[in-house]
């Protein structure tokens, strides 16, 4: 039986490489928005199991920079469901890999619309606490069914 992801936050974790950065050594705003829109799309698709398009984004706040070498964790949560559209709140947090310092860089809300689907979207379920959610890792998107790491603690053990 497939797992129900409707109430689970969707996460994408990536690294800021020089090609993603501007002349200040910080993540381009457009790259950050692309990550955020992708996570909003993934969260909507998991919830509605329909084809979605982004209709709008609102109140995108850039609070702090993500620097070259930082990991970025982008998390999306469904916050409103209508008949054919839904809203996803998305946050981008940067983490320095050596010190573990984390800072909220960007936050915004995206509205996505289901296209070509019959009937209304499923209602919002109970929310799962952020810590209980299993993140969606970039490596699992690129190499599905080929990764053996199942938890962040396994990464620490593997490279210790």
């Amino acid at each position: 039986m497939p797992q129900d992801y409707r109430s689970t936050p969707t996460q994408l974790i990536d690294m800021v490489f020089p090609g993603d950065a501007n002349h200040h050594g910080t993540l381009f705003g457009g790259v950050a928005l692309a990550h955020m829109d992708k996570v909003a799309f993934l969260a909507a698709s998991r919830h509605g199991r329909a084809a979605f398009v982004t209709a709008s984004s609102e109140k995108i706040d850039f609070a702090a920079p993500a620097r070259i070498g930082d990991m970025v964790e982008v998390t999306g949560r469904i916050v409103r469901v209508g008949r054919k559209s839904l809203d996803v709140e998305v946050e981008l947090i940067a983490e320095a890999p050596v010190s573990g310092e984390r800072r909220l860089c960007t936050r915004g809300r995206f509205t996505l619309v289901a296209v070509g689907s019959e009937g209304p979207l499923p209602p919002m379920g109970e929310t799962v606490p952020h810590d209980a959610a299993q993140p969606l890792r970039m490596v699992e998107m690129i190499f599905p069914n080929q990764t053996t790491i199942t938890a962040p603690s396994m990464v620490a053990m593997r490279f210790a």
Side-chain angles (χ1 to χ4, degrees):
M1 183 161 103
Q3 185 173 351
D4 184 2
Y5 290 102
R6 285 184 294 183
S7 302
T8 306
T10 300
Q11 283 189 317
L12 178 131
I13 299 171
D14 201 1
M15 193 82 170
V16 180
F17 290 109
D20 301 323
N22 58 29
H23 62 287
H24 297 291
T26 60
L27 184 66
F28 276 121
V31 173
L33 286 173
H35 283 327
M36 294 171 72
D37 189 32
K38 184 184 294 184
V39 166
F41 168 78
L42 292 169
S45 297
R46 277 184 154 179
H47 177 85
R49 296 296 177 195
F52 280 90
V53 295
T54 303
S56 68
S57 60
E58 60 182 73
K59 191 68 175 136
I60 306 294
D61 293 318
F62 292 90
R67 296 178 183 86
I68 293 173
D70 283 347
M71 292 182 285
V72 289
E73 176 183 291
V74 189
T75 305
R77 294 174 184 80
I78 306 291
V79 294
R80 183 200 63 85
V81 177
R83 278 188 40 77
K84 294 288 184 185
S85 68
L86 52 76
D87 290 347
V88 183
E89 182 85 22
V90 183
E91 290 183 347
L92 185 145
I93 295 173
E95 180 178 332
V98 176
S99 70
E101 175 219 352
R102 293 170 57 88
R103 63 196 169 283
L104 175 65
C105 294
T106 311
R107 175 183 285 151
R109 182 176 236 176
F110 293 77
T111 300
L112 291 96
V113 176
V115 291
S117 65
E118 300 295 323
L121 294 172
M124 284 180 60
E126 285 185 35
T127 20
V128 174
H130 182 1
D131 294 350
Q134 196 59 283
L136 177 62
R137 294 179 179 84
M138 181 66 96
V139 70
E140 292 166 352
M141 290 172 57
I142 297 170
F143 303 106
N145 303 321
Q146 296 178 24
T147 58
T148 57
I149 299 172
T150 58
S153 60
M154 301 269 303
V155 174
M157 292 187 325
R158 183 176 231 174
F159 296 105

